[in-house]
Amino acid sequence: DAKTTQPNSMESNEEEPVHLPCNHSTISGTDYIHWYRQLPSQGPEYVIHGLTSNVNNRMASLAIAEDRKSSTLILHRATLRDAAVYYCILRIQGAQKLVFGQGTRLTINP
Amino acid sequence: GAGVSQTPSNKVTEKGKYVELRCDPISGHTALYWYRQSLGQGPEFLIYFQGTGAADDSGLPNDRFFAVRPEGSVSTLKIQRTERGDSAVYLCASSLTSGPAGELFFGEGSRLTVL
């Protein structure tokens, strides 16, 4: 399974932007980059995904490096509700399962 | 809204007993996944169904674990002769498409405790 590397934890303040990094140096040309998050006592929740171009949706933005070996999930204005574990996952062409790593535990300070 | 529903939400059983966990996916979703999550860890893949058939069961830890989806909708995860190490949250997810761009929708999980 293609591997991603994320910091174990990050901390930010409410109403400030948050940049969550992910390294995926072994990514291949057809692998999609997915981000999920998991709030306490809940199942994971889809956040965003992309292939090559930067992506925006109502929850977040995904910035993908030109060589695709890294990406950054951007929460533009963090709220206390954004405190969660964020998982960066490579979804391989032809493989149906998502393989979760340890993720980044994001703490938001009021 | 009709999301992925899992029952029971909590199950306490004794070592050696048989357990069934049920997943009711979002209507129309053909792909269904089971994961389990131990405390402090990310979800671990168990099995994936496309329709009625198990397309990938490579994550099932041993032959005590079995899952079915007889009509291509509801799925049941069955654990025989439970062990204390089986204690975890068992998560179910469904997806409209099984392609690499598809979004998985997860339920809230069934917490299994084996005493």
Side-chain angles (χ1 to χ4, degrees):
Chain A
D1 299 315
K3 187 172 169 52
T4 64
T5 304
Q6 299 178 253
N8 289 335
S9 62
M10 289 184 65
E11 201 168 323
S12 186
N13 297 319
E14 201 174 8
E15 300 189 3
E16 291 184 356
V18 180
H19 291 233
L20 294 160
C22 181
N23 287 322
H24 30 77
S25 57
T26 60
I27 192 170
S28 69
T30 54
D31 294 348
Y32 280 76
I33 302 159
H34 284 249
W35 284 82
Y36 281 72
R37 72 179 186 179
Q38 188 170 22
L39 278 63
S41 301
Q42 294 190 24
E45 171 189 33
Y46 168 83
V47 177
I48 200 165
H49 78 274
L51 184 59
T52 56
S53 304
N54 295 344
V55 184
N56 299 295
N57 66 19
R58 64 174 179 81
M59 289 181 71
S61 296
L62 177 60
I64 302 173
E66 198 169 330
D67 63 4
R68 300 186 72 233
K69 293 183 186 298
S70 66
S71 60
T72 302
L73 180 71
I74 302 165
L75 307 179
H76 294 284
R77 202 159 166 262
T79 70
L80 296 177
R81 276 202 72 252
D82 291 321
V85 178
Y86 286 77
Y87 297 98
C88 169
I89 302 164
L90 296 186
R91 193 134 191 229
I92 300 166
Q93 181 77 23
Q96 310 309 332
K97 61 191 179 188
L98 290 179
V99 178
F100 288 80
Q102 295 284 82
T104 296
R105 181 173 297 280
L106 176 65
T107 301
I108 304 296
N109 299 315
Chain B
V4 176
S5 175
Q6 292 189 245
T7 54
S9 54
N10 273 288
K11 175 71 176 178
V12 180
T13 191
E14 292 178 345
K15 181 174 177 294
K17 298 288 189 185
Y18 169 80
V19 165
E20 287 191 353
L21 306 175
R22 175 188 167 109
C23 173
D24 207 333
I26 293 172
S27 178
H29 281 195
T30 58
L32 185 145
Y33 306 76
W34 283 99
Y35 286 80
R36 75 174 174 181
Q37 186 170 27
S38 301
L39 195 63
Q41 305 294 316
E44 173 194 15
F45 170 78
L46 294 177
I47 187 170
Y48 153 68
F49 286 89
Q50 181 58 43
T52 60
D56 182 353
D57 64 357
S58 61
L60 294 178
N62 51 59
D63 61 6
R64 295 187 298 106
F65 288 75
F66 190 71
V68 296
R69 195 185 184 200
E71 297 177 358
S73 178
V74 170
S75 176
T76 305
L77 179 66
K78 308 180 182 203
I79 311 173
Q80 297 178 318
R81 305 182 304 280
T82 52
E83 299 177 356
R84 292 195 180 89
D86 299 335
S87 297
V89 176
Y90 288 81
L91 295 162
C92 177
S94 69
S95 178
L96 186 59
T97 170
S98 57
E103 174 185 346
L104 270 62
F105 294 83
F106 283 82
E108 295 198 347
S110 292
R111 180 177 298 278
L112 174 66
T113 302
V114 182
L115 302 176

